[in-house]
Amino acid sequence: MGDIEGATRAADEGTVLLVMNLERFATHDGPGIRTVVFLKGCPLHCPWCANPETQMAGPVVFHDVRRCVGCAACERACPAGAITMREDADGSPCPSFDLGRCDGCGACERACLHEAIALQGRRRSVRAVLDEVLRDADYYEASGGGLTVSGGEPLAVPAQVMPLLREAKARGLDTAIETCGNVPLDIIEEAEPLVDHFLYDLKHLDDRVLARVTGGDGVLIKGNLAWLARRCPQKVNAHIPVIPGFNYDAGVLRPMIGWLHEVGVTRVNLLPYHTLGLAKYEKLHRAYDLPRQGLADKDLMPYHEYALSLGMESRIGA
């Protein structure tokens, strides 16, 4: 290994990531058995997001009001003064979190004897993350799996994700990335040689609707997806989250599938709306205004059949 290459690898391995979670033995985030590394931070604010704790770039705190006894141990333990006690709707004492002052030290979580607090977002080096990922290397080799980087939006933090991807490839890992594509094209171009599978969300074709509901830039997202479809179509798997009241409509979904076909995307996954993340909104003390009833696979069959009729590979679910 040359001096420059060695220095680059050493720098990459030492890069600090803000990791929300690391999920082993995942089977729905790319081919084979995979480990998914969830990074924090996202430019979108989709109201159906199953991982709302990843939307903020910094640490956030889950607080379970059912476990909390209002003892104020967390307030006393916080060195940053980010927690103050208040009264909730029924007059019971309850902590309030100022995330702008939180530095993610975890003192509040350690002080809570009732496990009512859980810090979301911990700093870990690329080296430490990949050492853990590679514990399952035999499973990846046997199944064609590897590493998937998710979020949040991993490409929104290129200073973290690029070193992770470079070192993953240097260690021989198959790599996938789950992205909404709401980043400048030069970031997509930098990532492309380091990524074997782009699991790319397309949420809506109407730029105004997308911006109003999610904050996304539709022109940017569609442009980046079309570029990938031209550059490396074999790497692209489009994901359409199907959401009631947003895009669950024949007049919306069929044109989305047709557009994917036109730009050269050959694989699409139709993801039925679900409420698996609902408890997280409660722990973040955030309102959840979407339906409490998910969609069934059968609800998406007409769109699945339409994609097949265009000659695309289609699947309902991840």
Side-chain angles (χ1 to χ4, degrees):
M1 183 186 299
D3 292 343
I4 295 177
E5 182 184 356
T8 300
R9 285 200 61 184
D12 284 350
E13 288 184 337
T15 297
V16 175
L17 313 171
L18 189 56
V19 179
M20 192 275 290
N21 189 26
L22 192 150
E23 179 184 342
R24 298 172 64 190
F25 295 98
T27 57
H28 298 288
D29 300 271
I33 295 171
R34 311 188 73 83
T35 296
V36 186
V37 177
F38 293 88
L39 301 181
K40 286 183 55 62
C42 185
L44 273 58
H45 48 76
C46 303
W48 58 84
C49 181
N51 296 310
E53 73 276 23
T54 66
Q55 292 177 347
M56 288 186 62
V60 297
V61 177
F62 277 165
H63 175 246
D64 190 337
V65 295
R66 289 163 294 194
R67 289 179 174 269
C68 181
V69 298
C71 66
C74 55
E75 180 185 42
R76 294 190 296 271
C78 179
I83 302 176
T84 55
M85 298 302 293
R86 59 174 175 79
E87 290 187 353
D88 64 15
D90 65 2
S92 301
C94 179
S96 176
F97 302 91
D98 182 352
L99 296 178
R101 302 179 68 176
C102 175
D103 63 4
C105 72
C108 57
E109 182 181 50
R110 294 189 295 272
C112 182
L113 301 180
H114 302 276
E115 299 182 346
I117 290 177
L119 182 69
Q120 303 297 306
R122 300 184 185 278
R123 292 174 174 84
R124 302 184 63 181
S125 71
V126 165
R127 180 185 301 109
V129 167
L130 289 180
D131 284 349
E132 184 169 350
V133 169
L134 283 165
R135 292 177 186 174
D136 297 322
D138 290 345
Y139 295 100
Y140 309 148
E141 184 175 356
S143 68
L147 166 71
T148 296
V149 190
S150 188
E153 171 49 64
L155 292 178
V157 285
Q160 295 182 39
V161 76
M162 297 304 177
L164 175 62
L165 291 171
R166 281 195 296 267
E167 183 58 21
K169 296 309 295 181
R171 297 196 189 194
L173 283 166
D174 179 273
T175 58
I177 197 160
E178 295 185 309
T179 180
C180 67
N182 200 106
V183 296
L185 178 59
D186 61 340
I187 294 177
I188 299 284
E189 292 175 333
E190 183 181 357
E192 187 272 324
L194 305 171
V195 176
D196 297 303
H197 316 279
F198 284 91
L199 313 180
Y200 198 115
D201 268 15
L202 181 68
K203 305 176 194 295
H204 211 289
L205 288 184
D206 189 315
D207 301 338
R208 291 171 298 180
V209 172
L210 185 75
R212 174 172 53 82
V213 176
T214 75
D217 183 335
V219 173
L220 187 63
I221 291 168
K222 288 180 289 189
N224 288 340
L225 180 50
W227 183 88
L228 283 170
R230 293 191 302 270
R231 172 77 174 183
C232 51
Q234 76 284 359
K235 293 185 178 183
V236 180
N237 191 339
H239 286 186
I240 300 178
V242 182
I243 312 298
F246 175 67
N247 63 11
Y248 181 42
D249 181 278
V252 177
L253 279 176
R254 284 177 65 94
M256 290 175 70
I257 296 168
W259 182 86
L260 289 171
H261 180 252
E262 289 174 9
V263 300
V265 174
T266 61
R267 291 179 293 166
V268 61
N269 285 51
L270 302 169
L271 309 180
Y273 168 72
H274 62 76
T275 59
L276 297 179
L278 181 57
K280 295 181 177 183
Y281 288 83
E282 296 174 354
K283 292 179 180 179
L284 290 171
H285 298 179
R286 285 175 52 179
Y288 188 85
D289 298 324
L290 275 73
R292 264 42 177 189
Q293 179 66 44
L295 295 176
D297 288 1
K298 63 180 178 63
D299 297 322
L300 275 56
M301 279 301 298
Y303 309 105
H304 168 66
E305 292 170 352
Y306 176 59
L308 293 177
S309 75
L310 296 175
M312 302 177 73
E313 295 181 38
S314 177
R315 181 175 177 177
I316 297 176

